Amino acid sequence: MSPPISRKAVCKELLSEGLITEIQAARILKNGYRLKDTATSASAGTVKSPDPVDAIDLIASMNLNRADDPDRKLDEDALFEFMAQKWGVPYVKIDPLKLDFNLATSIIPKSFAASQLILPIAIGDGELTVAMANPFNQEALDDVARASRLRIKPVVSSKTDIKKLIAEFYGFKRSIAEAEVQFSGPRVDLGNLEHYFRLKSPEELPSNDQHIVNAVDHLFSYALDQRASDVHVEPKRDVSHVRMRIDGVLHTVYRLPKNVHPAIVSRIKNMSRLDMAEKRRPQDGRIKTNKGDIEVEIRVSLVPVAFGEKVVMRIMDPNILFQDLEKIGFTSRELIRYNRLIKMPHGIILVTGPTGSGKSTTLYSSLRDLSTPEINITTIEDPIEMICEDFNQIAVKPVLGISFANILRNILRQDPDIIMVGEMRDLETAENAIQAALTGHLVLSTLHTNDAPSSITRLLDLGIPAFLIQSTLIGIVAQRLVRTICKKCMESFPMDTTELSNLGIFLTGKKKQVSLHRGAGCHHCRYTGYRGRTAVFEVLQYTEAIQRMTRTDVSLEDIRAQAIKEGMSTLRESAVDKMLKGITTYQEVLRVTWENF
């Protein structure tokens, strides 16, 4: 099918499919922006057809609502996908995480890719797939075919995506290539197993080299753009892997030449004010950067591994750490119970769960909810997760004698109302937290246990007398994170309750068959079916009945049974509730929670 080349032709196609209304079509045709439907050659005086992409650009810039779905915008992706269908050419939403940047940048030069808006994205069976904004640019296709000596298969992608990837990939490729040349040398690198010594010239400045600076800046920008929570830079024998954790799952993004790894690590050390010369001991630091107008904290951890120093950078996004309590995953009943706990004048509230289960988000969101000019909130953290001016935050520094236990004794003289202790990790810290609660303070802290009831036995194991737990503990919250179904490709399907029971998900009082949801997979979620995460909770109120059960020979099952009797929903029940509401899948329920038989 010939491509539409004018606003009128594009509007006609959109109108025929019900994507725009007659009024919107009139607005597009009368829009104040001048669109050249014909172009005159100054030299020959001939007239040629314009790029059809120009019409799509103009319509996308108008920010119109779709006529078939007013809640969605007629954005650039939707327009290119629609026009690709009309042109009879496949549409591809390019996933940067799955794109081989060596392939993308080795076949054609950047100048050609940028001028023709064309990007190689896949190769196989003698065929090269190229993404284009205008798949009818035959001259560009012929040039790529001659350069690659392969059959060319054009697919359509949005103009913005192609431009962005060309800028990022070619810029990153050039930085890495230049750095590889600069740091090239004998390929003898046994990391921390053995040492190969080579004299460096005065010109070698790994942390300040502009190519390395550009490459590391790209890594940070890319991680923020892809919603990554962690970035891993891992040295192997011959290469260095860069992996990013997105929605709880690690994706390999780059494989870099091994000889640039030390320079990248040095640059990160420089940014996070770590000891550049120290390569044998673990180090921790932090970097502050920005994501648009929002400041983002990046926690840096370096540890020596077999083939060098491994770097893990945790991205602390304030949009994630500070949320409304109503939006982090509590059910209405759980939220009422939790609000009742944090509004208590004194006592201890414990938030439990493994690393990466969202405890920091719950604590920070709770503290921000409690924060007022009349309240003094003091936190003791190792390290400080996110700087917040509303709190008085103290970083634990054992080398200076500032431990959780030591500083707890001192901050009681700082007239605090609410104290947040990063982790109750030993008897001394627990005793001081209890002392703070006994003297009229509300104390929030974390503990590493599998569920809420086992936190009571954990406190007893630490050596806390039962009567002190009974006097100070007011509630325990256990939590996990489950991935949420992508809203763009969500679909429903029936499933037998018998089949769910065989898997370990028991639905009492339900029909023989229930309607569940899943993500079919789309470019919005990278064909995983999931986008984003939410928390599941079990909120245990430390009632008089459970107080009486707290003793050295306590039965964990008895405490759990009593808590459930008093209205506590288990982690599994909370996850199942989200499954039935179409928020997550049964696979996530089974992956994240367990059933006590």
Side-chain angles (χ1 to χ4, degrees):
M1 181 182 292
S2 298
I5 60 173
S6 65
R7 274 183 289 178
K8 187 174 181 180
V10 174
C11 281
K12 182 179 178 181
E13 296 288 357
L14 293 171
L15 200 57
S16 67
E17 295 294 330
L19 292 181
I20 60 173
T21 64
E22 294 278 2
I23 296 174
Q24 288 173 326
R27 279 184 58 199
I28 293 170
L29 295 175
K30 294 180 181 179
N31 193 278
Y33 294 100
R34 300 286 296 175
L35 182 71
K36 295 180 180 179
D37 286 340
T38 59
T40 304
S41 170
S43 58
T46 57
V47 177
K48 66 176 183 178
S49 297
D51 191 331
V53 174
D54 293 339
I56 298 175
D57 283 345
L58 181 132
I59 298 170
S61 70
M62 295 178 66
N63 199 31
L64 301 173
N65 291 324
R66 293 178 58 144
D68 60 339
D69 187 355
D71 292 332
R72 294 171 60 193
K73 294 290 183 182
L74 191 62
D75 57 17
E76 187 184 19
D77 283 327
L79 285 165
F80 272 102
E81 186 172 7
F82 172 75
M83 294 313 299
Q85 182 182 0
K86 288 295 179 181
W87 293 336
V89 180
Y91 173 80
V92 172
K93 176 70 174 177
I94 305 174
D95 183 355
L97 298 181
K98 297 178 181 177
L99 188 60
D100 183 348
F101 86 102
N102 285 315
L103 168 68
T105 56
S106 61
I107 294 177
I108 57 176
K110 180 181 179 181
S111 57
F112 180 83
S115 63
Q116 302 298 325
L117 289 180
I118 185 170
L119 185 68
I121 60 173
I123 190 171
D125 298 327
E127 184 176 74
L128 178 67
T129 302
V130 294
M132 308 179 70
N134 177 11
F136 297 95
N137 187 346
Q138 192 60 48
E139 185 178 347
L141 290 171
D142 292 341
D143 289 342
V144 176
R146 281 192 294 270
S148 64
R149 297 182 181 181
L150 296 167
R151 297 191 312 275
I152 305 301
K153 175 187 175 183
V155 297
V156 174
S157 294
S158 74
K159 191 174 180 180
T160 299
D161 282 355
I162 294 174
K163 281 184 173 181
K164 183 177 181 181
L165 287 168
I166 288 173
E168 289 183 349
F169 275 61
Y170 279 91
F172 186 63
K173 170 73 172 181
R174 181 175 179 275
S175 296
I176 292 298
E178 295 287 348
E180 184 179 13
V181 171
Q182 180 173 0
F183 300 111
S184 61
R187 294 190 61 81
V188 180
D189 184 4
L190 298 178
N192 287 318
L193 301 181
E194 294 181 24
H195 289 286
Y196 175 84
F197 184 74
R198 179 173 67 90
L199 290 176
K200 296 182 179 180
S201 64
E203 290 78 19
E204 289 187 22
L205 299 173
S207 66
N208 297 320
D209 176 72
Q210 190 59 42
H211 305 304
I212 291 298
V213 170
N214 292 338
V216 173
D217 287 351
H218 169 83
L219 284 181
F220 286 138
S221 299
Y222 196 59
L224 292 170
D225 188 50
Q226 297 299 319
R227 304 180 298 108
S229 60
D230 300 86
V231 180
H232 295 234
V233 184
E234 304 171 325
K236 305 299 179 185
R237 185 180 298 276
D238 300 315
V239 295
S240 179
H241 290 178
V242 178
R243 298 196 291 170
M244 295 184 184
R245 188 179 297 279
I246 302 170
D247 292 337
V249 179
L250 279 170
H251 301 264
T252 299
V253 179
Y254 299 123
R255 289 177 175 84
L256 305 180
K258 181 63 179 294
N259 54 359
V260 304
H261 178 84
I264 288 176
V265 172
S266 294
R267 172 59 182 166
I268 294 170
K269 284 182 177 179
N270 183 287
M271 296 174 71
S272 50
R273 297 182 180 180
L274 297 178
D275 186 348
M276 304 278 285
E278 181 58 72
K279 301 182 189 305
R280 299 172 300 171
R281 294 186 178 90
Q283 296 190 72
D284 293 307
R286 64 193 310 119
I287 300 169
K288 184 183 285 288
T289 184
N290 65 293
K291 179 183 178 183
D293 297 329
I294 301 172
E295 288 189 345
V296 177
E297 299 267 355
I298 299 174
R299 275 172 40 192
V300 179
S301 172
L302 288 97
V303 295
V305 293
F307 296 106
E309 289 181 279
K310 176 183 174 180
V311 184
V312 175
M313 294 171 284
R314 169 155 288 189
I315 300 171
M316 315 303 294
D317 189 338
N319 288 330
I320 296 174
L321 271 181
F322 296 100
Q323 298 187 48
D324 294 334
L325 289 176
E326 295 84 358
K327 296 179 181 178
I328 63 176
F330 285 109
T331 64
S332 56
R333 189 177 68 168
E334 288 169 345
L335 184 60
I336 291 171
R337 291 164 68 92
Y338 184 66
N339 273 324
R340 191 179 300 145
L341 294 177
I342 63 175
K343 297 297 168 60
M344 296 287 282
H346 55 82
I348 294 176
I349 300 171
L350 296 176
V351 181
T352 77
T355 302
S357 60
K359 299 189 298 296
S360 295
T361 296
T362 300
L363 286 172
Y364 271 94
S365 300
S366 302
L367 292 177
R368 193 182 68 168
D369 186 69
L370 293 169
S371 178
T372 65
E374 295 81 23
I375 298 255
N376 177 17
I377 297 176
T378 302
T379 72
I380 311 167
E381 305 172 63
D382 182 20
I384 295 173
E385 301 270 5
M386 174 66 68
I387 301 297
C388 179
E389 294 183 0
D390 294 339
F391 316 146
N392 299 293
Q393 296 170 282
I394 303 168
V396 170
K397 295 180 180 178
V399 293
L400 300 178
I402 303 176
S403 65
F404 281 115
N406 291 341
I407 201 65
L408 256 173
R409 287 195 293 267
N410 288 278
I411 65 171
L412 291 180
R413 306 187 193 102
Q414 290 283 313
D415 187 31
D417 296 294
I418 299 173
I419 301 169
M420 194 269 275
V421 182
E423 184 181 347
M424 205 173 288
R425 58 178 61 167
D426 54 41
L427 175 60
E428 189 180 8
T429 304
E431 286 177 338
N432 283 283
I434 286 173
Q435 187 62 39
L438 287 171
T439 52
H441 303 89
L442 182 65
V443 180
L444 285 78
S445 187
T446 67
L447 202 63
H448 290 288
T449 58
N450 290 328
D451 57 11
S454 58
S455 298
I456 297 172
T457 58
R458 173 66 178 149
L459 291 175
L460 291 168
D461 290 340
L462 283 175
I464 306 297
F467 74 90
L468 286 179
I469 299 174
Q470 294 165 352
S471 304
T472 55
L473 187 63
I474 57 176
I476 306 166
V477 178
Q479 66 180 88
R480 297 290 188 278
L481 292 177
V482 295
R483 290 183 290 174
T484 54
I485 300 171
C486 174
K487 291 182 173 60
K488 300 285 186 181
C489 61
M490 182 186 293
E491 63 181 18
S492 62
F493 68 98
M495 191 165 186
D496 290 340
T497 54
T498 304
E499 186 177 353
L500 287 170
S501 298
N502 292 336
L503 293 170
I505 301 176
F506 302 99
L507 304 178
T508 56
K510 297 290 181 182
K511 298 178 182 178
K512 186 177 180 181
Q513 199 173 71
V514 291
S515 178
L516 302 181
H517 293 79
R518 63 190 171 201
C522 66
H523 62 260
H524 189 67
C525 62
R526 300 188 180 88
Y527 299 94
T528 62
Y530 300 99
R531 184 175 173 87
R533 291 187 291 176
T534 188
V536 293
F537 298 93
E538 60 181 31
V539 182
L540 184 152
Q541 290 179 297
Y542 194 61
T543 60
E544 291 184 9
I546 299 177
Q547 286 179 18
R548 290 192 296 269
M549 300 170 68
T550 304
R551 53 185 184 273
T552 52
D553 60 343
V554 62
S555 167
L556 184 58
E557 291 304 320
D558 289 345
I559 292 178
R560 182 179 291 111
Q562 182 62 32
I564 292 172
K565 181 181 177 181
E566 294 177 352
M568 182 191 80
S569 297
T570 65
L571 289 168
R572 170 59 63 87
E573 290 169 347
S574 181
V576 167
D577 180 65
K578 284 182 167 54
M579 176 192 77
L580 295 174
K581 290 178 178 177
I583 297 172
T584 191
T585 63
Y586 74 88
Q587 290 94 337
E588 280 294 285
V589 173
L590 294 170
R591 183 181 71 87
V592 173
T593 66
W594 67 97
E595 187 70 36
N596 294 293
F597 296 102

